[in-house]
Amino acid sequence: MQRRYELDTLRGLLLILMTLTHLPTRLSAYSSQAFGFVSAAEGFVFLSGLVAGMVYWRAIDWRGEDWMRTRLRERASELYRWHLLLLLFLFTVGAAIGYYGGRPMLRNLLSFYFDQPTAALWAAPLLLYQPPLLDILPTYIVQLLLTPFWLVQARRHGWGRVLLLSSLVWVFAQCGGRALLLDGFNHLTGDSVPSLPLPALGFFDDFAWQLLWVFGLWTGHLAVSGRLAAQLPRRSLRLAAVGTALVYLAWYHRLLEPLLPMELLRLQHPVLFDKVLLGPMRLANFAVLAVTTGLALPWLAQLLRRVGGAALGLLGRASLRVFAAHLFLALLAFGLVGADEHPLDGLTESLMLAGTFGVMLWVALHQHRGRSEP
């Protein structure tokens, strides 16, 4: 299937935003949730599901369900190997730098590992323990493994049932489903992996975040079937989506504070904006932002093409490997922050950013010489 330049470019842009958010620089305050109550992670998960839907829906027709399952298992296995390497690096080099070097960012990242090393060592490979920063790859692994189920069910029973089931799983997450299952697991095994989302379980509850992936699969199917334009809202609803996205943006950045006191609402109803559970207000914000981005995608792609579009497209075509590589660099960067946790000086920040993006581009070029990934 011919690659969609605008999707690769958009994924590359989201990779840049996530990298800026993860690196310990002053830019992270501006790159994190710059567009409202959403982060680049929501867009990245949705776009990855969309591309998977485009590729593997057609693949079932061309090569059959068995090929599709085998290919997705291979992709998940590759990501799992990256995840194990990251865990090994974090539990050895990262732990040594954090503990003996007095680096608080690494110590905080590994707080559960330092408190309960035995439980951490067996729970991490099983994806039960997910240190912050190393929590999004397990989400991708799980969603890739579940993709054959969603696609086959959609072909046999229609997307209506699939989207309903995915929505019910999201509701299960809002009701504390992950913590309930983990408590049951601890009761049966006698172990004590914490049921609280942080820090042991990371920022992504798979029961909640699968909803973005499944809607991405559905959107990808509509795109390759030539029916996506028919599903877009009518002009009046499009204008409403754009207007609502702008309201969310202004609200998040405190421009509407007298009318909509954000902090008061977030304190009274924190679950509405919860990132771990992909809360309702966060999900609604992403929905209107996704519609707005979809409407502006041709114009946005042209703009990005003129401003480093080739590099962004290259990063987007190798997005998952590039993402895994940037995590190694982010962990090393955490080791530069001293015990006083003062911001790094401007020269160090500049060298860190240049080195990180240079390595990311090198990984993308290496991948491009081999094959592009869906």
Side-chain angles (χ1 to χ4, degrees):
M1 188 182 71
Q2 185 178 5
R3 296 199 68 90
R4 297 285 297 272
Y5 168 83
E6 65 273 21
L7 296 181
D8 285 335
T9 304
L10 196 53
R11 286 207 291 183
L13 176 62
L14 294 173
L15 268 172
I16 296 293
L17 289 174
M18 284 192 288
T19 302
L20 290 174
T21 300
H22 293 158
L23 291 176
T25 72
R26 279 159 284 206
L27 293 176
S28 63
Y30 303 99
S31 59
S32 177
Q33 302 194 163
F35 304 106
F37 300 95
V38 293
S39 65
E42 283 90 341
F44 199 67
V45 170
F46 175 79
L47 274 180
S48 297
L50 187 154
V51 174
M54 293 174 64
V55 172
Y56 294 109
W57 185 269
R58 286 277 183 89
I60 295 176
D61 293 327
W62 297 338
R63 302 189 179 184
E65 293 180 6
D66 289 340
W67 182 91
M68 180 260 300
R69 290 191 179 93
T70 300
R71 176 66 179 140
L72 284 166
R73 280 198 300 268
E74 290 173 351
R75 297 283 292 116
S77 297
E78 179 188 359
L79 285 180
Y80 184 66
R81 290 193 293 270
W82 275 98
H83 184 62
L84 290 181
L85 284 173
L86 284 162
L87 286 173
L88 179 63
F89 179 79
L90 183 61
F91 289 167
T92 55
V93 177
I97 295 174
Y99 187 82
Y100 296 107
R103 296 303 192 239
M105 293 191 73
L106 286 172
R107 285 186 63 87
N108 293 337
L109 203 70
L110 287 164
S111 58
F112 177 67
Y113 173 73
F114 285 129
D115 291 340
Q116 301 187 47
T118 301
L121 286 173
W122 69 257
L126 295 179
L127 308 184
L128 293 175
Y129 166 45
Q130 300 175 13
L133 279 190
L134 271 64
D135 47 4
I136 193 168
L137 282 182
T139 295
Y140 275 101
I141 293 166
V142 170
Q143 300 314 320
L144 284 170
L145 292 174
L146 288 176
T147 293
F149 168 77
W150 294 120
L151 292 181
V152 170
Q153 292 304 309
R155 295 178 77 89
R156 293 177 181 173
H157 305 293
W159 281 102
R161 290 190 183 183
V162 168
L163 296 175
L164 176 60
L165 176 60
S166 178
S167 300
L168 291 175
V169 174
W170 176 81
V171 172
F172 174 73
Q174 307 308 303
C175 298
R178 182 171 71 167
L180 180 66
L181 292 177
L182 191 54
D183 286 342
F185 175 84
N186 286 334
H187 178 72
L188 290 174
T189 62
D191 286 298
S192 55
V193 179
S195 59
L196 291 176
L198 297 176
L201 298 183
F203 285 94
F204 303 93
D205 186 329
D206 291 335
F207 292 106
W209 282 72
Q210 55 77 34
L211 184 65
L212 284 181
W213 185 275
V214 172
F215 268 85
L217 292 174
W218 173 59
T219 306
H221 157 253
L222 293 176
V224 297
S225 303
R227 294 159 49 196
L228 184 58
Q231 297 293 326
L232 289 173
R234 289 176 291 184
R235 187 171 183 273
S236 58
L237 293 178
R238 293 179 186 180
L239 292 174
V242 174
T244 306
L246 291 175
V247 169
Y248 268 112
L249 181 63
W251 187 19
Y252 178 79
H253 289 286
R254 309 296 180 89
L255 300 179
L256 301 177
E257 193 65 19
L259 297 175
L260 297 169
M262 182 181 68
E263 282 305 318
L264 179 62
L265 184 60
R266 293 180 73 172
L267 287 173
Q268 292 179 342
H269 306 284
V271 71
L272 295 177
F273 303 91
D274 194 277
K275 179 179 181 179
V276 177
L277 297 175
L278 198 64
M281 294 294 286
R282 198 177 189 91
L283 190 60
N285 192 174
F286 174 78
V288 296
L289 190 60
V291 172
T292 302
T293 304
L295 296 172
L297 191 56
W299 170 82
L300 183 61
Q302 289 297 323
L303 176 64
L304 293 175
R305 187 190 296 268
R306 294 171 186 160
V307 187
L312 291 175
L314 190 65
L315 291 172
R317 285 193 294 274
S319 56
L320 294 180
R321 284 192 180 184
V322 171
F323 181 83
H326 107 275
L327 289 176
F328 281 104
L329 301 169
L331 293 174
L332 283 174
F334 279 15
L336 297 176
V337 180
D340 54 10
E341 297 193 69
H342 284 169
L344 302 174
D345 61 82
L347 178 60
T348 304
E349 284 190 353
S350 299
L351 292 174
M352 179 198 304
L353 290 168
T356 299
F357 289 124
V359 172
M360 290 169 63
L361 282 171
W362 178 83
V363 171
L365 282 168
H366 180 73
Q367 170 79 1
H368 181 64
R369 294 191 185 103
R371 57 177 175 80
S372 296
E373 66 183 27

